[in-house]
Amino acid sequence: MAPAYVYMVRCQGSQLYTGWTTDPAARLHAHKTGKGARATRAFHAIGMAYLERCGSKSEALRREAALKKLPKAEKEALCAAWAENSCPRLSIATRADAAEILAIYNWYVMNRIATFQITPSTLEEYEQWVEDTLARAPLILARDGSGRLLGYACAHRYHAREAFDWDVESTIYCAPDACSAGVGPALYGALLELLKYQGHWNVYALLADPNPASERFHEKFGFVCVGRCPHTGYKFGRWAGLSTWWLPLRKGNAAPQPVQLQLDAAQVAQVLERYSQPKTK
């Protein structure tokens, strides 16, 4: 049974809209693009203010009714506590985190075309994947205040030949219910900074096409699209294309210095701490 959620969306004028859904990210997108409820179209939804997982649709409906009856002050208190707990705390992954990382990734395998993989990966595969990834680049985790994994970001070789040693392909996946908590920007910001410290020159992101949300996300970090290939992958009964996005971390024609596969632990901790700080409004 798919999980159900009750949520509150912040609208202009400090209005709060309460609803329920089985797909928080998709529902939030609908509200923000004027395809959700009449109220969020009228008051212009800004972002997720509160999200609570429930055991079933009926439980979510009961909780939705209860939230709607709360005074505004109590709703705001719930939103403030949720925002504080949802603020991502960053760390470097270990082999012991493989099962949680795998759970997020396999959700995308089974439900989205963000990955062209169709058969879910196994824990054994991902335990090895974690070790292989950490041998060359950071594998960053974001957890909330209760320790729940919100998402991860990493990088790996763009191509195997030696001339590509200064190029990496980036990867980021957030939990499907990690909405409006700043998870993606925190993970990507920290990852890109650490990749530059390592001495990489270019970061490439391969996106399923179309994927306008991911394209907007990468554009905010300075990525530009350098190519689109139609009809690249077939999944969920339809063809999807593939677009390539490029971010130069360095410019010029100077000979590059060797990449530092392992960074100083204190330097890494400093970057992670900075991107873990709550963003002031």
Side-chain angles (χ1 to χ4, degrees), residues 126-162:
Y126 253 62
E127 287 175 337
Q128 187 60 52
W129 176 84
V130 168
E131 293 189 355
D132 293 343
T133 300
L134 288 170
R136 298 199 60 86
L139 171 50
I140 306 173
L141 306 182
R143 296 186 180 277
D144 66 13
S146 61
R148 185 175 72 93
L149 186 62
L150 300 173
Y152 67 94
C154 61
H156 49 88
R157 292 182 68 97
Y158 183 55
H159 285 298
R161 300 188 190 280
E162 295 94 330

Side-chain angles (χ1 to χ4, degrees), residues 14-219:
S14 295
Q15 300 287 330
L16 289 170
Y17 171 83
T18 304
W20 80 276
T21 183
T22 57
D23 191 335
R27 190 59 178 159
L28 177 61
H29 179 70
H31 284 306
K32 293 178 72 173
T33 56
K35 300 176 183 178
R38 181 181 301 174
T40 55
R41 290 197 298 271
F43 294 103
H44 304 291
I46 299 172
M48 192 71 75
Y50 179 78
L51 186 66
E52 179 182 334
R53 181 168 177 159
C54 301
S56 63
K57 175 182 175 179
S58 58
E59 183 181 333
L61 289 170
R62 289 193 297 270
R63 182 60 174 151
E64 177 191 18
L67 286 179
K68 287 181 175 179
K69 295 177 181 178
L70 291 178
K72 182 68 161 28
E74 293 188 30
K75 291 181 181 179
E76 291 291 357
L78 284 174
C79 293
W82 179 82
E84 171 61 26
N85 183 67
S86 298
C87 176
R89 286 77 168 170
L90 304 189
S91 63
I92 296 297
T94 69
R95 184 184 177 95
D97 299 306
E100 292 175 281
I101 296 171
L102 177 63
I104 290 178
Y105 179 68
N106 275 345
W107 186 88
Y108 284 90
V109 172
M110 300 300 294
N111 295 280
R112 294 288 189 270
I113 62 166
T115 171
F116 283 178
Q117 185 170 331
I118 295 175
T119 303
S121 293
T122 67
L123 179 57
E124 182 180 11
E125 290 171 343
Y126 253 62
E127 287 175 337
Q128 187 60 52
W129 176 84
V130 168
E131 293 189 355
D132 293 343
T133 300
L134 288 170
R136 298 199 60 86
L139 171 50
I140 306 173
L141 306 182
R143 296 186 180 277
D144 66 13
S146 61
R148 185 175 72 93
L149 186 62
L150 300 173
Y152 67 94
C154 61
H156 49 88
R157 292 182 68 97
Y158 183 55
H159 285 298
R161 300 188 190 280
E162 295 94 330
F164 293 102
D165 281 352
W166 296 269
D167 305 330
V168 290
E169 180 187 338
S170 58
T171 294
I172 182 169
Y173 286 101
C174 295
D177 56 354
C179 298
S180 291
V183 179
L187 283 169
Y188 232 40
L191 175 67
L192 294 175
E193 187 166 332
L194 292 177
L195 290 174
K196 187 171 183 178
Y197 284 155
Q198 282 190 297
H200 291 290
W201 279 59
N202 301 292
V203 183
Y204 294 91
L206 303 181
L207 310 182
D209 190 13
N211 192 339
S214 188
E215 291 188 5
R216 289 192 300 270
F217 176 79
H218 282 81
E219 285 175 339

